[in-house]
Amino acid sequence: MSVENIQIGLLGLGTVGRGVYRIITGNADNIKRKVGVGVEIKKILEKDTSKLRDLNIDLGKQTTEIEDIIDDPEIKIVVEVLGGIEPTMNYVTRALEGGKSVVTANKDMIAAHGKQLFALSEANQTDLLFEASVAGGIPIIRPLKQCLAANRITQIIGIINGTTNYMLTKMTEQGSDFEDVLREAQAKGYAEADPTADIEGYDAARKLAILASIAFNSRIVLDDVYVEGITKITSTDIAYAGELNYIVKLLAIAKETGDGIEVRVHPALIPHSHPLAMVNDVYNAIYVTGDAVGDTMFYGRGAGEMPTASAVVADVMDAARNLLHNVPGIISCTCYENKPVKDMGATEVKYYVRLNVTDKPGVLASIAYVFGDKEVSLASVLQKHNDGNNAEIVLVTHKVREKNMQEALETIKQLSSVNAIANIIRVEGE
Ligand code: NAP
Ligand code: HSE
């Protein structure tokens, strides 16, 4: 291909779109020298003209008709930063069918429809690049697909939702309650007006589905992921975790085991000494273990205008380079296996359990009996008096099958001396 500049159609000039425009125009010389050809935004699909005015963009570039981009043969790369599933899927599908390369930051679309979109990009020999869809500015898709390609990846443990990491950090540092830190996160613009996807774990689960698919070369979808959010985490649990030398984080965990792939998102206690324990505020990190490389960790900003745009523009540069050398689609979908997903009941983890009990002789023994009966072995026990009659017992188990643990808890709930199972949280990273 021989052109002066490769032309781009930008779908959306919101938070990420603005950053993409700023980098492509601000770093134009560097981009041209690194790629071997310049990249230029020819058209922008955006309804709101003020968004173009704010950046002094020539209003001639604005369009509200997708056809102005999809049907323009000069536009070779479509950058999708609209978000959502429809009409985005429709636009991306048509761009790929028209032979255009697509760069997207859209985890919702890739996690739900990745299989279909990768088949289209392969059939049309185009690039479909999505580095920004997981952990914003942190390089993780390309490292998994390329830099670590020689490895068999055994596990990924990630903190991949900035909002919940900010909330748990503040609860830990300030002893604040969940509702207060949620309001603080919303005021700072980290949590959305409707924070459900973040606090219930679905945002992290979508990102984990994408990571696990690449890591284990087998398609994982959102429904495969066991999801539990952070709404049940209290400052009391965080304080107990601290006493036991742990910190509470929302983890996204993917492991390849002998009996299938484990994919789960849930809060977990991790030891203070674990590298992920140091990841605070809105920062994200992904801890990847490969059979050759050993342990690696990728750390940085998982969201925001410029960090996310940094990943999008790097993808644009790759797509442009591939077009220049007539090799678009050279690195395609790597889900060439079909591995089973492990049943959550068969998962083996350690547990933290907090119980409110009547403080009288034999209570601890009756609880220990039930655990023993279900082959749940206890690693440590803490007991604190609440008042004259009631006490709080905090237990940490050794590794136990999830199914056995749930059965034991069902029986313990029925004991007359147990007033409540106040919380159960898994323990990871040991
Ligand atoms: P955003 O601020 O809401 O921007 C989206 C832009 O697209 C808005 O200007 C919106 O205009 C426009 N738009 C949406 N649908 C349109 C349509 N059908 N026609 C024309 N314009 C349309 O969203 P964002 O935060 O930039 O996120 C974009 C994508 O990046 C999402 O997939 C998101 O998950 C992903 N992402 C974002 C971040 C982040 O930090 N923000 C990080 C990683 C990934 P209106 O406002 O008028 O609808
Ligand atoms: N809502 C996400 C987070 C950012 O809090 O990490 C976009 O993926």
Side-chain angles (χ1 to χ4, degrees):
M1 183 182 217
S2 161
V3 285
E4 198 179 327
N5 282 330
I6 288 182
Q7 303 295 324
I8 294 168
L10 179 62
L11 312 189
L13 197 62
T15 305
V16 182
R18 206 165 47 226
V20 169
Y21 183 85
R22 284 197 169 117
I23 298 177
I24 285 184
T25 50
N27 294 353
D29 280 352
N30 262 334
I31 292 172
K32 186 170 184 173
R33 293 175 75 165
K34 286 178 181 168
V35 175
V37 65
V39 295
E40 186 179 336
I41 296 175
K42 184 175 179 188
K43 281 279 173 207
I44 301 173
L45 181 79
E46 176 60 59
K47 290 172 243 156
D48 187 350
T49 305
S50 71
K51 289 184 181 165
L52 284 91
R53 283 211 184 92
D54 286 349
L55 292 169
N56 290 322
I57 302 174
D58 168 10
L59 295 186
K61 289 187 187 285
Q62 184 182 14
T63 180
T64 53
E65 303 298 327
I66 188 66
E67 287 71 23
D68 289 342
I69 291 174
I70 303 283
D71 297 338
D72 182 340
E74 264 184 23
I75 292 179
K76 302 291 183 199
I77 302 173
V78 171
V79 176
E80 184 280 301
V81 281
L82 296 172
I85 303 284
E86 283 300 348
T88 316
M89 255 305 273
N90 174 285
Y91 297 168
V92 168
T93 300
R94 287 160 68 192
L96 292 170
E97 283 171 347
K100 298 186 193 305
S101 291
V102 171
V103 172
T104 177
N106 193 330
K107 63 191 164 278
D108 301 7
M109 181 178 70
I110 295 292
H113 302 290
K115 188 174 179 182
Q116 179 186 339
L117 292 174
F118 291 117
L120 260 184
S121 88
E122 239 171 85
N124 292 283
Q125 276 211 306
T126 63
D127 276 317
L128 172 57
L129 304 176
F130 51 101
E131 181 63 67
S133 67
V134 178
I138 306 175
I140 187 62
I141 306 292
R142 196 173 281 94
L144 282 175
K145 277 199 165 201
Q146 297 181 40
C147 319
L148 298 174
N151 288 261
R152 193 176 66 79
I153 304 295
T154 52
Q155 70 162 14
I156 291 178
I157 307 181
I159 294 175
I160 51 179
N161 182 268
T163 305
T164 47
N165 201 40
Y166 174 84
M167 291 174 65
L168 291 171
T169 302
K170 293 299 160 208
M171 286 172 80
T172 305
E173 287 173 355
Q174 301 166 357
S176 332
D177 285 330
F178 180 86
E179 293 301 334
D180 293 338
V181 286
L182 176 57
R183 270 193 294 276
E184 198 182 315
Q186 282 171 319
K188 286 189 183 265
Y190 298 146
E192 312 264 337
D194 176 1
T196 315
D198 291 319
I199 63 175
E200 296 292 358
Y202 291 104
D203 175 79
R206 290 189 180 98
K207 294 169 182 168
L208 184 67
I210 297 172
L211 290 181
S213 299
I214 300 168
F216 306 129
N217 308 115
S218 187
R219 176 74 47 207
I220 301 290
V221 295
L222 179 62
D223 280 351
D224 294 325
V225 184
Y226 171 85
V227 191
E228 222 180 80
I230 64 161
T231 51
K232 66 171 191 179
I233 300 299
T234 66
S235 46
T236 307
D237 296 304
I238 289 177
Y240 275 126
E243 270 187 57
L244 294 161
N245 246 337
Y246 293 107
I247 190 153
V248 180
K249 294 285 180 191
L250 180 69
L251 296 187
I253 300 162
K255 295 185 183 183
E256 176 146 28
T257 71
D259 38 352
I261 295 174
E262 250 176 63
V263 264
R264 45 194 168 94
V265 168
H266 53 71
L269 272 64
I270 52 170
H272 272 295
S273 55
H274 194 285
L276 287 171
M278 273 66 110
V279 179
N280 286 321
D281 295 313
V282 288
Y283 279 88
N284 283 195
I286 303 123
Y287 194 79
V288 181
T289 308
D291 63 348
V293 73
D295 294 331
T296 60
M297 190 160 100
F298 300 81
Y299 170 85
R301 291 189 179 274
E305 175 184 328
M306 295 308 269
T308 310
S310 154
V312 171
V313 177
D315 275 354
V316 168
M317 291 167 71
D318 262 8
R321 196 180 290 109
N322 290 347
L323 284 164
L324 181 69
H325 298 291
N326 296 318
V327 288
I330 189 168
I331 297 175
S332 55
C333 179
T334 47
C335 290
Y336 46 76
E337 294 192 58
N338 192 6
K339 296 177 181 168
V341 174
K342 189 169 169 179
D343 179 56
M344 188 61 189
T347 304
E348 290 193 8
V349 290
K350 292 178 72 167
Y351 276 89
Y352 153 102
V353 184
R354 178 160 63 91
L355 301 165
N356 293 332
V357 301
T358 308
D359 196 5
K360 60 179 186 189
V363 171
L364 191 54
S366 62
I367 293 166
Y369 175 80
V370 177
F371 277 131
D373 190 45
K374 294 291 175 189
E375 293 175 33
V376 177
S377 165
L378 301 178
S380 60
V381 180
L382 260 181
Q383 176 168 346
K384 302 225 166 177
H385 284 277
N386 285 350
D387 54 48
N389 301 321
N390 299 306
E392 195 151 57
I393 296 179
V394 172
L395 309 152
V396 178
T397 72
H398 286 293
K399 267 194 177 176
V400 50
R401 267 184 122 224
E402 171 89 14
K403 188 168 175 290
N404 290 33
M405 186 66 190
Q406 295 303 341
E407 284 172 5
L409 291 172
E410 267 313 304
T411 309
I412 286 170
K413 226 189 267 177
Q414 314 301 328
L415 297 177
S416 59
S417 52
V418 173
N419 305 328
I421 297 178
N423 218 341
I424 46 167
I425 310 173
R426 294 173 185 83
V427 180
E428 273 293 331
E430 290 184 315

